[in-house]
Amino acid sequence: MRRPGGWWRQKSTPAKVETYTRWSFHFFALAEFTAVGLPFTGAALWTGGGLWLPPMMLVHCTLCAATASRALDWTLGRRPQPVRLLWALAAATAAVAVAAIWIAEHGPDHEGVASAAGVVFGVSLIFAAGVTALGVRKRHRVFAVVNGFAAGAGAVAFPITGDGFATLVAMASVLIGGAFLAFTSVFSVWLLNAVYELDEARETRARLAVAEERLRFGRDLHDVMGRNLAVIALKSELAVQLARRGRPEAVEQMIEVQRLAQESQREVREVVRGYREADLGVELAGAQGVLTAAGIACEVRGEADGLPDEVQSALGWVVRETTTNVLRHGDAGRCSVGLRVTEGRVVLTVENDGAVAERDGGGGSGLAGLRERLRQVDGTLEAGFVGAGVFRVVAEVPLGGKGLESKTEGPLKETSAVSEVTS
């Protein structure tokens, strides 16, 4: 059974921001209807033309919510620009504004009805201006939308009321209110796009790091093999020519070719061994830097100095894999990495919050691969949830030699490097 709120924790950070932004715009529609419906709490207003005001605003609010949703999809590049909805919203707003100002002037002889109709007139124009600003992209067009609705308020109010001062007040109110909502809408969309771009940039940076490592490996292989292969090809050709002439020097050239081939094989093994081995100290520093850059508060305790190379290599891969899991799975805000030596065993603990249920201890090829690596050095790996959304990975590796074991026995010197970054 899915836990309450699990659907929210499974969302990525950009998806959470999008959900919050989308429902904020839907709340605009609810706030609009609430602002208009408050004057109708009294039964005396439900007379004559006042009966039409709540249904008209309900239709207008629904149209505003639909337009905001479609316009947000357009800004994210998922749907075409909702031109028809924008024009339909403009037409509906004009109709509501005309009906409201007419009811205020010629409706039932009740002061409350006139006040409620005035609220409908102003609120409909203000919220329509804020929602319409979502459907345009250029800054000058946003200004044109706000000014257009303010001018429309004057064009509707003055011919019906004939009151110049009241018309100016209505225009100023629509201009200020519409500008505020338009700015809020545009800023919300800009922030949402920025979050998506930052998330994409983080993924691109990870792909570039992988590509850079592949290029480095390829460059190292080229440097190692290029010269040796060229010499081997040249000496082989020389040996062929000498052999055809019956010269005994051909044997010496082939012996040299054999020596170069064995040397090349040894150098390639060294390159591959260096590529496969992970330095634990470097991995700890890199994990802290990457997690901090991703907005995750990271704490690293312990030092890797003095540990055997095979132990550092095995635990370095654990740090590398768990760091990747923290970034890719869930929405962590805190991560702690601890390294200590106890009873002749090196214990590495990685713990983070914001984990989702899919990251169980048994599944996942990454954790299975780590168990195989640790098994080669008689190590063990345990992974699982230790609390609500808290995931912990514990790797234990025995120390190699007794001399080194006695040298490093006891807790490692702890250093704390805490980077508090708001995610």
Side-chain angles (χ1 to χ4, degrees):
M1 183 176 180
R2 179 176 295 181
R3 294 176 296 177
W7 67 275
W8 176 260
R9 287 192 293 269
Q10 292 177 2
K11 288 179 176 289
S12 62
T13 299
K16 290 180 179 178
V17 177
E18 179 184 349
T19 302
Y20 171 79
T21 304
R22 190 177 298 275
W23 282 101
S24 296
F25 290 133
H26 291 166
F27 178 76
F28 280 180
L30 179 61
E32 178 185 2
F33 185 77
T34 302
V36 173
L38 287 178
F40 286 86
T41 55
L45 297 182
W46 295 87
T47 56
L51 291 172
W52 292 96
L53 293 178
M56 287 191 303
M57 286 308 300
L58 180 61
V59 174
H60 188 267
C61 295
T62 304
L63 189 57
C64 282
T67 305
S69 180
R70 290 289 299 274
L72 187 60
D73 289 338
W74 169 68
T75 57
L76 296 176
R78 300 172 184 172
R79 288 186 177 183
Q81 185 178 15
V83 178
R84 293 182 179 179
L85 267 179
L86 291 174
W87 281 110
L89 177 60
T93 303
V96 171
V98 171
I101 202 69
W102 187 89
I103 292 173
E105 291 295 322
H106 306 287
D109 188 13
H110 193 284
E111 183 178 357
V113 174
S115 299
V119 172
V120 170
F121 174 79
V123 168
S124 61
L125 288 169
I126 290 174
F127 277 88
V131 172
T132 305
L134 286 172
V136 295
R137 186 160 292 168
K138 301 295 183 179
R139 184 182 304 175
H140 66 275
R141 292 183 178 178
V142 176
F143 291 152
V145 166
V146 176
N147 292 327
F149 275 94
V156 171
F158 186 74
I160 298 177
T161 63
D163 189 343
F165 178 75
T167 300
L168 290 177
V169 171
M171 293 177 63
S173 301
V174 173
L175 181 63
I176 296 173
F180 174 76
L181 286 184
F183 171 78
T184 302
S185 301
V186 172
F187 178 77
S188 299
V189 171
W190 173 84
L191 182 62
L192 178 60
N193 288 328
V195 171
Y196 270 108
E197 290 176 1
L198 288 175
D199 186 70
E200 183 179 356
R202 186 176 65 177
E203 294 180 357
T204 302
R205 183 175 60 182
R207 290 195 298 268
L208 288 177
V210 174
E212 183 179 358
E213 183 65 16
R214 290 176 178 174
L215 289 175
R216 184 194 68 80
F217 183 66
R219 183 172 60 251
D220 291 346
L221 281 180
H222 179 269
D223 294 340
V224 169
M225 298 297 297
R227 179 185 63 83
N228 290 348
L229 288 177
V231 176
I232 289 174
L234 181 62
K235 287 187 173 294
S236 299
E237 183 179 357
L238 178 59
V240 170
Q241 297 296 331
L242 293 175
R244 288 177 178 176
R245 297 176 184 178
R247 302 284 296 274
E249 292 86 350
V251 177
E252 298 179 358
Q253 296 297 328
M254 291 307 299
I255 293 175
E256 182 68 13
V257 167
Q258 183 182 14
R259 185 189 65 81
L260 288 173
Q262 293 174 349
E263 181 181 353
S264 299
Q265 188 179 22
R266 178 182 58 80
E267 292 179 351
V268 169
R269 287 175 178 173
E270 291 180 356
V271 171
V272 174
R273 186 181 301 111
Y275 180 75
R276 288 179 176 176
E277 291 181 351
D279 184 84
L280 182 56
V282 174
E283 293 298 333
L284 289 173
Q288 185 180 22
V290 170
L291 293 176
T292 301
I296 301 173
C298 181
E299 180 183 3
V300 178
R301 301 185 304 273
E303 295 181 354
D305 298 339
L307 295 178
D309 293 340
E310 61 272 13
V311 174
Q312 291 201 36
S313 177
L315 295 181
W317 276 101
V318 176
V319 174
R320 185 181 300 180
E321 178 66 24
T322 52
T323 302
T324 303
N325 288 339
V326 172
L327 292 173
R328 294 180 58 185
H329 302 285
D331 188 15
R334 175 192 60 83
C335 180
S336 62
V337 182
L339 181 67
R340 71 181 190 277
V341 175
T342 175
E343 298 180 356
R345 300 180 69 85
V346 184
V347 181
L348 174 70
T349 304
V350 182
E351 182 177 302
N352 68 279
D353 60 359
V356 294
E358 285 75 10
R359 283 189 57 196
D360 51 14
S365 59
L367 295 179
L370 290 180
R371 289 189 176 92
E372 294 179 0
R373 286 182 179 274
L374 294 177
R375 195 176 297 118
Q376 296 175 1
V377 291
D378 296 330
T380 60
L381 180 74
E382 295 182 1
F385 285 90
V386 294
V390 179
F391 194 81
R392 179 185 296 170
V393 177
V394 180
E396 295 188 12
V397 178
L399 288 171
K402 295 183 179 179
L404 181 60
E405 183 175 325
S406 61
K407 178 181 178 182
T408 57
E409 184 67 21
L412 289 174
K413 179 182 178 182
E414 293 190 353
T415 58
S416 179
V418 183
S419 302
E420 294 296 339
V421 181
T422 303
S423 59

